[in-house]
């Protein structure tokens, strides 16, 4: 290999690394902003559980750069949120968001990397959204809701009562999480997937070059 070729390889690798870090930082900033755009759906789930699309940028990162970069966006998004807004849940809410977002983009990105096609991207997204929904149940049951009871001084019976106002038969926390939160989390993931498929191609030059 000639000297010029030998020098070109590290330069190309350096540009690629710089590009990935730049796109990761950009997507993290967008995800951070999207965390503030949230809205309740009171007819379907208690209003303290809100819909947002802040997982969209990490899904874009997982597909364009790789699943590890998707996790990096999830981490940076939550760190920015803590830095600029602080936490009202002793960091439990941010931890939950990070763990669920990581499960989502890791699964989606890993399956897509095995065979890069629209079909594998869709399959990965479905698997990722389903895993995120399933993991949300034990995470909320054992960590998040007990922490909210302590942080906000809200009795667990009062929380369950908010669910029962919608569905009276939801008389235990595990029922509430399984009936309401699990499908809600899946639908939230699928909304991100839909938006990702709509905007990925127009954004592709920016994400890849």
């Amino acid at each position: 290999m000639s000297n010029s070729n030998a020098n070109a390889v590290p330069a190309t690798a350096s540009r690629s690394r710089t590009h990935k870090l730049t796109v990761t930082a950009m997507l993290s900033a967008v995800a951070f902003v999207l965390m503030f755009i949230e809205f309740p759906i009171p007819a379907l789930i208690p209003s303290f559980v809100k819909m947002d699309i802040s997982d969209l940028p990490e899904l874009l990162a997982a597909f364009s750069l790789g699943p590890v970069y998707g996790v990096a966006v999830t981490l940076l998004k939550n760190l920015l949120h803590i830095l600029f807004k602080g936490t009202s849940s002793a960091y439990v809410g941010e931890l939950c968001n990070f763990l669920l977002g990581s499960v989502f983009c890791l699964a989606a990105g890993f399956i897509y990397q095995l065979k890069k096609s629209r079909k594998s991207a869709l399959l990965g997204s479905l698997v990722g959204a389903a895993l995120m929904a399933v993991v949300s149940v034990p995470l909320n049951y054992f960590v998040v809701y007990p922490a909210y009871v302590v942080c906000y001084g809200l009795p667990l019976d009062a929380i369950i009562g908010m669910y029962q106002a919608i569905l009276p038969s939801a008389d235990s926390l595990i029922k509430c999480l399984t009936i309401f939160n699990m499908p809600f989390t899946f639908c939230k993931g699928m909304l991100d997937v839909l938006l990702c498929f709509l905007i990925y191609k127009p954004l592709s030059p920016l994400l890849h070059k």
Side-chain angles (χ1 to χ4, degrees), residues 6-208:
N7 291 331
V9 173
T12 302
S14 177
R15 281 197 299 271
S16 176
R17 185 165 56 250
T18 301
H19 164 75
K20 288 180 178 180
L21 292 175
T22 302
V23 173
T24 299
M26 178 190 70
L27 290 174
S28 300
V30 173
F32 164 65
V33 172
L34 290 177
M35 289 185 83
F36 291 92
I37 305 172
E38 54 182 14
F39 52 91
I41 310 179
L44 300 178
I45 197 166
S47 58
F48 66 85
V49 182
K50 293 180 173 64
M51 176 70 77
D52 72 81
I53 56 169
S54 65
D55 291 331
L56 172 59
E58 60 212 43
L59 195 60
L60 289 168
F63 286 146
S64 61
L65 306 176
V68 173
Y69 289 92
V71 174
V73 170
T74 312
L75 176 62
L76 290 171
K77 168 187 76 173
N78 282 285
L79 290 177
L80 287 170
H81 189 266
I82 292 170
L83 181 64
F84 287 99
K85 191 179 179 182
T87 180
S88 58
S89 60
Y91 307 105
V92 172
E94 290 79 16
L95 175 63
C96 176
N97 186 286
F98 167 68
L99 292 175
L100 292 180
S102 295
V103 168
F104 184 29
C105 65
L106 270 177
F110 177 76
I111 292 175
Y112 176 69
Q113 291 294 320
L114 294 177
K115 184 182 180 182
K116 293 184 178 182
S117 67
R118 193 175 181 84
K119 185 176 180 180
S120 67
L122 179 59
L123 175 62
S125 299
L126 287 168
V127 172
L131 283 175
M132 180 171 66
V134 171
V135 171
S136 73
V137 174
L139 188 59
N140 279 311
Y141 186 84
F142 291 110
V143 181
V144 178
Y145 279 55
Y148 283 168
V149 170
V150 174
C151 291
Y152 297 115
L154 190 64
L156 189 58
D157 288 343
I159 296 175
I160 294 173
M162 297 179 191
Y163 286 94
Q164 287 186 299
I166 302 172
L167 182 68
S169 61
D171 55 4
S172 67
L173 181 58
I174 193 67
K175 279 187 180 179
C176 295
L177 296 175
T178 304
I179 295 170
F180 289 93
N181 289 55
M182 186 163 67
F184 177 83
T185 303
F186 178 77
C187 291
K188 179 174 175 287
M190 292 313 297
L191 175 60
D192 291 317
V193 172
L194 175 62
L195 293 173
C196 179
F197 272 70
L198 288 174
I199 68 173
Y200 188 87
K201 191 171 182 178
L203 288 179
S204 187
L206 177 64
L207 297 172
H208 290 284

